[in-house]
Amino acid sequence: MSVFQQPVSRYTVSRLVVEATGRYELNLVSSAYDRGIPVVIAKPSAVRQYARATEQLAKTDKIDARIIAEYGAVVKPRIRHQESKNIRFLRDLLVRRRQLMEIRTKELNRNSIMGSGRLAASYRRHLKQLDQEVSWIDRQIEQAIDQESEWSERKTLLSTVPGVGNVLIHTLLADLPELGTLNNKQIAALTGLAPINRDSGRSKGKRRIQGGRGTIRVILYMATVSAMQCNPVIKAHYNQLVAKGKHKKVAIVACMRKMITILNAMVRDNCVWSF
C-alpha cells in the first residue's frame, strides 16, 4: 500500500496525527513508521473536544482533516513509539481473550436460564469450545511473552505479589509499557485512579476518578478484590480505610491505587515482593 505519493524528505514533519478508527488507521501508521515519520494516534473524543472549544460544530471530512491538523499543531499530543510485531500480536491476543470471556459469560448466563432438556447439550458444547479457545489464546500469550526477554523478567518479578495473576500481568505488559518509568501520581493518573479535584472558590466538591486506560482498571479491580483476601498489605490498607468510615467502594479504589503504585515501584527498582 503506497500511502504517500510524493516524497516527504522535502518537509520537516514533526508529527503525523491520525484519529483512532478501530484499527483502520494501522496501515497508514505502519507506512509512516517505515518512512521515519513520527506518529500520533489521537483519541476521537479529544479531537472533538478541541473542535467544540474552537466553536467548530460542523463535521465533514474536509473540516475534520483541518481540525485534526490544528489539534496536532496547537496541542502537540504525545508521539507514539513504534511497536514490534510481537507486541502488537500480544495486544491482539489480549483483546481476543476479553472477547471470548465476554461470550463465555453470556453463555453461562443463558445456560443457567435455558440450559435444560434438549438445549443443555448445545450450551455444554459451546462452553467447551470457548474454554478450548481461551486455553489456546493463553498458550499464544505465553509464547509471545517468552520472545521478549524484558517482559519475561517483569512477569517473574510481578508474579511474586500475592493476588497478582497472569491476566493482570499480561495486561500490564501489553497495555501499560510506562510501568516503572513514572512516579506514583503519574501512574495513578494514567490508569484513571487519581482523584480529580472539583473545587471552585469556597466550594469543595467530591474527588472522583476518571479517564485513564479502562481495560487496565477493570482487570486491576478484579486483582485487587482478590488481593484483599490474600495480600497482607492490601488487606490491611482496606480494613484501615473502612474502619475510618470510608465507603467500601472508595476503599477498593484506594487499594487499586496502592496496588498499581507498588507494582510500579517494583518494576522501577527491579525488586521482588518483600512486604
Side-chain angles (χ1 to χ4, degrees), residues 185-199:
K185 291 183 178 180
Q186 290 171 330
I187 201 68
L190 193 58
T191 52
L193 294 171
I196 306 300
N197 293 352
R198 288 289 182 270
D199 301 338

Side-chain angles (χ1 to χ4, degrees), residues 196-236:
I196 306 300
N197 293 352
R198 288 289 182 270
D199 301 338
S200 179
R202 296 182 180 181
S203 175
K204 301 294 182 182
K206 289 185 177 180
R207 271 77 171 148
R208 300 180 185 275
I209 61 171
Q210 66 179 36
R213 297 176 187 174
T215 55
I216 297 175
R217 193 163 54 251
V218 171
I219 302 300
L220 185 61
Y221 171 84
M222 300 304 297
T224 301
V225 171
S226 174
M228 285 160 48
Q229 306 300 320
C230 62
N231 188 307
V233 174
I234 301 300
K235 183 177 182 179

Side-chain angles (χ1 to χ4, degrees), residues 53-67:
T54 56
E55 298 183 351
Q56 180 60 68
L57 303 181
K59 183 172 171 45
T60 66
D61 290 344
K62 186 174 182 179
I63 292 174
D64 283 351
R66 178 173 58 80
I67 290 296

Side-chain angles (χ1 to χ4, degrees), residues 4 6-17 32-33 35-40 79:
F4 302 100
Q6 299 294 330
V8 296
S9 58
R10 72 182 69 173
Y11 305 109
T12 301
V13 181
S14 61
R15 52 177 48 80
L16 171 67
V17 184
Y33 281 137
R35 290 159 174 78
I37 299 175
V39 176
V40 173
I79 293 173

Side-chain angles (χ1 to χ4, degrees), residues 46-57:
V47 176
R48 202 65 225 151
Q49 287 172 0
Y50 175 82
R52 292 193 185 99
T54 56
E55 298 183 351
Q56 180 60 68
L57 303 181

Side-chain angles (χ1 to χ4, degrees), residues 78-93:
R78 181 173 57 88
I79 293 173
R80 184 190 184 105
H81 297 293
Q82 186 175 9
E83 298 175 339
S84 68
K85 291 182 179 179
N86 189 47
I87 294 176
R88 181 72 260 173
F89 179 53
L90 178 58
R91 288 189 174 183
D92 290 345
L93 287 170

